[in-house]
């Protein structure tokens, strides 16, 4: 995902970039992704760049790590670097093999900089971005409600907010964009009328403080793009397909666990990462439950987790076009690897049920 928002203490956490050494993939490996055992050579380590801090948002990754799914799939060490980050810089510099991001951030850098990046799957079929407001304050329920208001927008989300305005024919000069960080207290304190947030994070944490909140979801207002995208470089996609397939197998299993038991997902995030990442376990549980609706869809139930339909790909491309970014779906998405995973491991489709 794009860089986002939560409590001040978490926002002050330094962004760490963990670089994992790459080793040669198994030569001549084909068929189903191999399970690791005492006699099999590892496919190598993998460095994963997260888009945000290590909270329930990455419960699937935590389950895959905690339950040994990565190891079973044949991977070596899987290191996870916390965000906030869109992941493109880490991918292009080689400090990350895989990054979790969003289609708008990746599409922008692909279109504007010809970055050799591809989205190979998406955890969230529906993005959770929203304009958060207080019901007795800005009470922003439609795009037109932003007119005359002060909207807090983080630097990393500026292009995304501009796309929201363009998609709904809202003149940027009709409102005031206030540069903010990721702490929603500026909304609670009345410094802004609206705040770019996540339905699964700030919308819950602010409501938990006793405020009645209003939301303007991006996905329901002209920007139905996929998020928590699994993104790699073209080179990695071409040269390390078996490693990436192993990663996807483990991810599917991990996210199946997270979807099946959101409470356990939040508890595991707390257990592995501490109270700095998960300061409010009840809010974390609510967030883990809310994101299930973003992960599971008719598409995933039929074809498996992380799949992106042709229709959703085109909707994402249209979202980028609304922001003035021209790109073809084939330049942004490559779902061939995920198709191979499900072809070789058909039983994994049931994990989305």
């Amino acid at each position: 995902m794009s860089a986002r928002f939560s409590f001040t203490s978490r926002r002050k956490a330094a962004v760490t970039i963990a670089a994992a050494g790459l080793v040669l993939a198994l030569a001549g490996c084909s068929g189903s992704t191999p399970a690791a055992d005492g006699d099999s050579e590892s496919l190598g380590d993998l460095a994963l760049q997260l888009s945000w801090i290590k909270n329930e948002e990455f419960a699937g990754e935590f389950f895959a790590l905690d339950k040994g799914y990565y190891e079973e799939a044949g991977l070596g060490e899987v290191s996870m670097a916390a965000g906030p980050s869109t992941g493109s810089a880490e991918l292009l510099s080689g400090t990350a093999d895989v990054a979790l991001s969003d289609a708008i951030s990746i599409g922008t850098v692909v279109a504007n900089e010809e970055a050799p990046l591809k989205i190979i799957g998406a955890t969230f079929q529906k993005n959770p971005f929203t304009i958060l407001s207080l019901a007795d304050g800005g009470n922003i329920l439609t795009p037109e409600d932003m007119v005359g208001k002060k909207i807090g927008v983080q630097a990393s989300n500026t292009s995304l907010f501009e796309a929201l305005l363009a998609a709904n024919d809202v003149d940027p000069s009709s409102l005031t964009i206030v540069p903010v960080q990721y702490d929603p207290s500026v909304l609670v304190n009345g410094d802004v009328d609206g705040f770019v947030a996540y339905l699964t994070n700030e919308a819950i944490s602010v409501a938990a403080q006793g405020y009645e909140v209003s939301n303007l979801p991006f996905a329901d207002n002209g920007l139905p793009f996929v998020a928590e995208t699994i993104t790699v470089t073209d080179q990695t996609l071409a040269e390390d397909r078996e490693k990436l397939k192993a990663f996807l197998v483990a991810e599917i299993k991990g996210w199946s666990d997270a979807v099946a038991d959101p409470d356990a997902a939040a508890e595991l995030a707390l257990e592995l990462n501490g109270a700095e990442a998960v300061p409010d376990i009840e809010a974390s549980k609510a967030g883990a439950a809310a994101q299930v609706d973003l992960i599971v869809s008719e598409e995933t139930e039929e074809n498996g987790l992380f799949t992106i339909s042709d229709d959703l790909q085109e909707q994402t491309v249209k979202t980028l076009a609304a922001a003035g970014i021209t790109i073809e779906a084939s330049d942004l998405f490559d779902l061939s690897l995920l198709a191979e995973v499900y072809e070789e491991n058909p039983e994994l489709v049931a994990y989305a049920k």
Side-chain angles (χ1 to χ4, degrees):
M1 300 173 239
S2 295
R4 293 185 320 283
F5 359 83
S6 195
F7 302 100
T8 303
S9 60
R10 289 191 282 171
R11 289 309 175 200
K12 291 181 179 179
V15 177
T16 58
I17 305 299
L22 298 177
V23 300
L24 293 176
L26 278 173
C29 183
S30 62
S32 298
T33 304
D37 59 45
D39 299 321
S40 64
E41 181 183 355
S42 169
L43 288 165
D45 299 340
L46 185 142
L48 176 63
Q49 177 62 52
L50 305 180
S51 60
W52 186 227
I53 63 171
K54 295 181 178 181
N55 64 6
E56 69 282 351
E57 185 174 316
F58 307 104
E61 285 71 41
F62 301 149
F63 274 118
L65 184 66
D66 188 62
K67 293 194 173 183
Y69 295 148
Y70 291 132
E71 183 179 2
E72 289 175 6
L75 294 172
E77 178 185 1
V78 175
S79 59
M80 300 181 192
S85 174
T86 64
S88 58
E90 291 82 0
L91 288 171
L92 296 172
S93 69
T95 58
D97 302 308
V98 179
L100 301 181
S101 187
D102 70 83
I104 300 303
S105 297
I106 298 302
T108 299
V109 73
V110 169
N112 291 344
E113 302 176 25
E114 297 184 353
L117 302 174
K118 288 292 188 300
I119 293 171
I120 63 172
T123 308
F124 291 167
Q125 298 282 298
K126 183 177 180 180
N127 79 80
F129 284 97
T130 185
I131 298 299
L132 176 66
S133 61
L134 301 183
D136 61 356
N139 195 34
I140 298 169
L141 297 173
T142 70
E144 292 73 23
D145 289 340
M146 290 188 289
V147 174
K149 303 291 199 318
K150 294 182 292 183
I151 310 297
V153 183
Q154 302 80 12
S156 63
N157 293 317
T158 299
S159 61
L160 182 59
F161 179 69
E162 291 171 346
L164 177 69
L165 299 181
N168 292 280
D169 296 320
V170 175
D171 186 346
S173 66
S174 68
L175 52 84
T176 302
I177 296 177
V178 180
V180 297
Q181 296 300 315
Y182 304 99
D183 182 1
S185 64
V186 292
L187 176 66
V188 173
N189 295 337
D191 297 323
V192 296
D193 302 300
F195 182 85
V196 177
Y198 251 36
L199 291 166
T200 56
N201 194 326
E202 289 71 23
I204 291 172
S205 65
V206 172
Q209 297 176 44
Y211 297 96
E212 183 180 354
V213 300
S214 299
N215 281 288
L216 179 69
F218 285 28
D220 298 332
N221 289 276
L223 301 183
F225 60 90
V226 292
E228 209 72 274
T229 54
I230 303 169
T231 307
V232 300
T233 64
D234 290 348
Q235 181 177 358
T236 300
L237 183 58
E239 298 178 358
D240 286 318
R241 293 183 72 83
E242 295 304 320
K243 179 189 289 188
L244 291 177
K245 285 197 289 187
F247 175 74
L248 289 171
V249 168
E251 288 281 294
I252 291 167
K253 293 179 178 179
W255 273 107
S256 174
D257 290 344
V259 166
D261 194 342
D263 282 358
E267 289 165 357
L268 181 60
L270 175 60
E271 177 185 342
L272 295 182
N273 305 296
E276 183 177 2
V278 185
D280 184 337
I281 187 60
E282 294 307 317
S284 181
K285 288 179 179 179
Q291 68 187 15
V292 171
D293 290 335
L294 307 176
I295 296 168
V296 179
S297 66
E298 291 182 3
E299 168 74 11
T300 63
E301 289 181 343
E302 181 176 354
N303 298 312
L305 294 176
F306 306 150
T307 53
I308 310 172
S309 67
D310 291 343
D311 182 57
L312 191 49
Q313 291 179 52
E314 288 303 322
Q315 288 182 45
T316 300
V317 168
K318 289 179 180 178
T319 295
L320 285 159
I325 299 168
T326 302
I327 190 172
E328 298 292 330
S330 59
D331 294 327
L332 182 58
F333 298 100
D334 187 333
L335 283 300
S336 64
L337 195 69
L338 189 61
E340 288 179 25
V341 166
Y342 282 119
E343 181 179 356
E344 296 169 3
N345 306 272
E347 73 283 359
L348 291 178
V349 174
Y351 277 73
K353 303 298 184 181

